[in-house]
Amino acid sequence: MWCLELLLPLLLIINDASCQWNVWVPRDISAMTNSCVVIPCTFMYPSGIRPYRGVHGIWYFGQPYPQLFPPVVFKTRTDIVHESYKGRTKLLGDLHQRNCTLLINNIGAEHSGRYYFRADLGGANMYTFPDFSELKVLDQPNIDVPEEIVSDESLELTCYAPDNCPDMTPEIQWMYTDYLPDPEFSSDYLEESNTAVLSSTLTFTPRPMHNGQLLGCRVYYPNTTLVYERLISLDIKYAPRAVWVNVSSEVMEGSSVMLHCEVDSNPPPKIFWMFGDQELLWDTASNISLALDDVTPAQEGIYTCVGDNGYGIMNTSLYLAVKYPPREPVVNDSMTVQEGTSLALHCSTQGSPAPTLTWLKDGELVGTITADELSVLEILEITPQGDGQYRCLAENEHGRASSSLNITVEYAPVFLEESKCTVVREGVQCVCMATGNPEPTIEFYLPDLNVTINETDGRYNFYTHTDGHTSTGMIKLREKGERIDNGPAVNVHCSMFNMYGRESVHLELQQEKKYMMAVIVGTIGGVAVIAFIIAAVRYVGHNNKNVQASERVSVITSGCLLLSGRLCCSLSYAAILTKVCIFIVTSSPPFFFRK
């Protein structure tokens, strides 16, 4: 019953109603280097054993088997111990009281390990207990740091110092805390299983700026030179708090550009480069660069860098502007319209910056200059003068481009004032001129004779000519040599028509005095020229050594023609043909004259 009463307070193990070989030692115990440590120890042995030579004990290091000759830490029967423990160990307990507590002074790192106790009660009553106490010799204090430190969440850091040396009591200080926001400190003393630990807890709320900062814990023993320090670097997890990218920029089409993104976060984020909803590139890093080569206008737009590290997401965007000269404008197709039609000519193009659009007609400015990618030129009730080439010119600082279209205006015939009848030497010559599109057809009508003259009528000398949209018709009335003096008035109508209309006008007869004046002036001028030519030819013939003096030279005027204000005569002299023309001032229409 005595054995049981002793074991219960000491938490010893009993088997049935009898005591067995048992020992109690702290499984783990720690101490600082160069200090001391006390290993509490209590043992029991079977109640039937009676020590007859006293109770002795041995402390082993490393293993419990004497036959393997483990290092002896302490031995009551002799002072022979392992070299590393000489003068360092002392038994504090009374073995007769089953107290085997051991003191180790001036311990070093080499003393870290397992310690076993062996009881010797004499004779065969010796027993090495398998239970051990493992000593950890520390050269710096322990700091309990959470596996994860998250920004803006309260953090507790605890520094521990063993207090298992009865002659020295440690104290704890925190270092490098000046930069922390509102730090709080608290101390605690924990004693368990006859081992003691002093702790100091630092509480604060970390910020991203504290990532990588140093914190320190110092353990020292007053009245000694023993000081131990431990430094840690704060690894504070925080969501991306800044994303830097290039500033928005402008590049020329066909050039290359590098877009760079840097993200401040811990841990490093997964960085994405996005163009709209399209993912272009990603990597897990603190920065990433996106290379764009041979840039096209299709690549202009918003580029976004996104950083995501699991603690948060942040992004920043930039705008990439691609500059390029105007593209070839798109305009209406060439068209044919009727006079009076209203039109809207469209010109559209693309360019960066937006080009100015200018409408030109046959090289002349029409409409207004538009600073846009679309220009509309409105033409209300187009006239024949609107016929021609229209060109849209697009310009910006990087170049120009243009496109053209043709507008053909169709309209009914229009009578021209040059139309008239004129008395000529051989009769009456009537000219009728009209413009229209399509080119008008011209006919002459003689109401007195109820005769229509056109290209299919061979009874009259009918001539017609077309130049562009202008048609000219000419007839000659009365036969050659027929006198017209005091003759009847000429009654001639000109009829012109195309698909859009018909018009008929009466042609006025040119006054005879004008005709005679023109003939006189023309004839006198022509005679003077002919006389001059004959004199020149004769002079040349007179001085020509190849022509004999007695040779007769004859000059023959083969004929003259007065046409468009010009009198031309053909001459023949000494078998030499010559053509001479002079300009005659006359208001008469062209006519034929033969001497």
Side-chain angles (χ1 to χ4, degrees):
M1 190 63 183
W2 173 86
C3 179
L4 180 61
E5 291 177 351
L6 179 63
L7 289 176
L8 286 176
L10 298 176
L11 301 178
L12 297 179
I13 302 175
I14 61 172
N15 185 15
D16 297 330
S18 62
C19 292
Q20 302 296 321
W21 293 100
N22 281 299
V23 71
W24 181 92
V25 291
R27 185 61 177 256
D28 297 294
I29 193 168
S30 59
M32 306 303 297
T33 57
N34 300 319
S35 68
C36 70
V37 64
V38 173
I39 303 177
C41 178
T42 301
F43 70 98
M44 294 300 298
Y45 52 86
S47 58
I49 298 178
R50 294 290 184 267
Y52 58 91
R53 291 185 180 180
V55 180
H56 296 278
I58 303 174
W59 279 95
Y60 291 123
F61 176 77
Q63 56 183 342
Y65 308 112
Q67 62 271 25
L68 297 178
F69 303 102
V72 176
V73 176
F74 176 83
K75 188 174 183 180
T76 58
R77 290 183 180 274
T78 177
D79 293 336
I80 300 175
V81 297
H82 190 270
E83 186 69 23
S84 63
Y85 289 97
K86 282 185 177 182
R88 297 175 185 263
T89 59
K90 179 181 179 181
L91 189 67
L92 297 181
D94 184 354
L95 294 180
H96 292 88
Q97 299 297 323
R98 299 175 178 80
N99 188 337
C100 49
T101 300
L102 178 69
L103 169 65
I104 306 176
N105 286 304
N106 194 23
I107 58 177
E110 69 275 13
H111 298 134
S112 293
R114 295 179 178 181
Y115 289 81
Y116 296 87
F117 179 69
R118 177 179 176 85
D120 182 0
L121 303 182
N125 297 317
M126 293 182 293
Y127 186 80
T128 301
F129 297 97
D131 293 339
F132 60 86
S133 181
E134 184 161 3
L135 173 64
K136 296 180 181 178
V137 181
L138 310 176
D139 60 357
Q140 58 183 358
N142 285 325
I143 298 180
D144 186 7
V145 181
E147 292 185 1
E148 182 178 77
I149 303 176
V150 180
S151 174
D152 301 316
E153 295 183 5
S154 181
L155 170 66
E156 289 186 355
L157 301 177
T158 303
C159 178
Y160 297 95
D163 188 11
N164 294 308
C165 183
D167 297 333
M168 294 184 293
T169 300
E171 293 190 9
I172 300 175
Q173 288 180 337
W174 284 96
M175 302 182 297
Y176 310 120
T177 60
D178 294 343
Y179 65 87
L180 297 180
D182 303 322
E184 297 180 359
F185 304 93
S186 62
S187 298
D188 193 13
Y189 189 81
L190 177 63
E191 186 173 0
E192 183 178 353
S193 302
N194 291 330
T195 65
V197 175
L198 178 66
S199 66
S200 177
T201 300
L202 168 64
T203 303
F204 67 100
T205 301
R207 302 285 187 265
M209 68 181 69
H210 301 137
N211 184 51
Q213 296 285 351
L214 290 178
L215 273 179
C217 172
R218 176 185 288 119
V219 174
Y220 66 96
Y221 292 90
N223 303 319
T224 72
T225 59
L226 300 179
V227 178
Y228 310 90
E229 293 180 349
R230 172 78 179 273
L231 295 178
I232 63 171
S233 176
L234 294 177
D235 182 17
I236 300 174
K237 310 300 183 183
Y238 58 93
R241 61 171 179 165
V243 178
W244 294 280
V245 298
N246 312 57
V247 296
S248 296
S249 58
E250 297 179 354
V251 297
M252 278 300 299
E253 179 183 21
S255 64
S256 298
V257 64
M258 184 74 71
L259 304 184
H260 184 73
C261 177
E262 184 174 346
V263 179
D264 177 13
S265 72
N266 186 36
K270 180 181 286 188
I271 302 178
F272 301 85
W273 267 114
M274 306 290 294
F275 180 57
D277 295 331
Q278 180 184 3
E279 180 182 310
L280 302 179
L281 182 68
W282 75 270
D283 193 10
T284 300
S286 59
N287 61 80
I288 188 174
S289 295
L290 174 65
L292 301 177
D293 298 322
D294 195 17
V295 177
T296 67
Q299 293 172 288
E300 177 172 335
I302 297 175
Y303 289 79
T304 301
C305 177
V306 181
D308 182 359
N309 70 343
Y311 292 91
I313 300 175
M314 191 175 187
N315 66 76
T316 300
S317 299
L318 65 90
Y319 191 87
L320 182 66
V322 181
K323 302 300 180 182
Y324 58 97
R327 299 296 188 243
E328 181 179 351
V330 177
V331 298
N332 306 62
D333 294 333
S334 294
M335 63 185 77
T336 299
V337 298
Q338 186 177 354
E339 178 184 11
T341 302
S342 294
L343 304 175
L345 304 185
H346 292 78
C347 174
S348 61
T349 187
Q350 291 182 334
S352 182
T356 58
L357 299 179
T358 305
W359 279 102
L360 303 170
K361 177 184 180 297
D362 298 330
E364 298 294 332
L365 175 66
V366 293
T368 58
I369 299 176
T370 305
D372 202 348
E373 293 186 345
L374 174 64
S375 177
V376 179
L377 175 63
E378 293 186 352
I379 304 176
L380 301 178
E381 298 182 357
I382 192 168
T383 65
Q385 288 71 31
D387 189 285
Q389 183 188 69
Y390 290 78
R391 182 164 68 101
C392 178
L393 174 64
E395 298 176 288
N396 67 11
E397 60 191 75
H398 303 298
R400 58 168 52 187
S402 65
S403 294
S404 301
L405 71 145
N406 292 313
I407 295 181
T408 301
V409 181
E410 294 186 340
Y411 53 96
V414 177
F415 178 76
L416 300 181
E417 294 182 355
E418 292 85 348
S419 302
K420 62 187 70 176
C421 288
T422 306
V423 177
V424 296
R425 181 177 181 84
E426 298 177 347
V428 175
Q429 183 174 272
C430 292
V431 176
C432 182
M433 300 181 68
T435 180
N437 189 16
E439 294 81 2
T441 300
I442 294 180
E443 294 179 345
F444 291 94
Y445 176 63
L446 306 179
D448 296 339
L449 302 177
N450 193 22
V451 173
T452 298
I453 303 172
N454 53 36
E455 289 182 330
T456 61
D457 194 335
R459 295 175 297 168
Y460 295 88
N461 188 4
F462 180 83
Y463 167 81
T464 184
H465 173 70
T466 299
D467 182 10
H469 296 159
T470 301
S471 296
T472 302
M474 183 175 64
I475 61 171
K476 177 180 161 186
L477 303 177
R478 301 186 184 178
E479 295 300 327
K480 177 179 178 182
E482 183 180 354
R483 291 181 59 83
I484 63 173
D485 297 337
N486 299 322
V490 177
N491 187 11
V492 179
H493 289 259
C494 174
S495 178
M496 58 209 77
F497 60 91
N498 63 13
M499 59 187 296
Y500 295 106
R502 173 185 291 270
E503 185 177 357
S504 180
V505 297
H506 178 262
L507 298 180
E508 298 292 338
L509 180 64
Q510 180 73 41
Q511 293 295 327
E512 187 175 354
K513 291 183 178 180
K514 292 183 180 180
Y515 163 73
M516 294 305 295
M517 183 63 70
V519 171
I520 292 173
V521 174
T523 303
I524 293 175
V527 172
V529 172
I530 294 172
F532 173 78
I533 294 173
I534 293 174
V537 172
R538 286 179 176 177
Y539 176 79
V540 173
H542 178 74
N543 291 282
N544 193 335
K545 294 180 180 182
N546 296 326
V547 181
Q548 297 182 1
S550 60
E551 182 181 1
R552 297 181 60 87
V553 179
S554 61
V555 179
I556 302 173
T557 301
S558 60
C560 294
L561 172 64
L562 181 62
L563 181 62
S564 300
R566 189 169 58 168
L567 178 64
C568 295
C569 297
S570 297
L571 304 178
S572 176
Y573 172 75
I576 299 175
L577 296 177
T578 303
K579 184 177 181 180
V580 178
C581 297
I582 63 172
F583 288 97
I584 304 298
V585 179
T586 174
S587 60
S588 303
F591 64 92
F592 297 97
F593 174 80
R594 185 179 300 275
K595 184 175 178 181

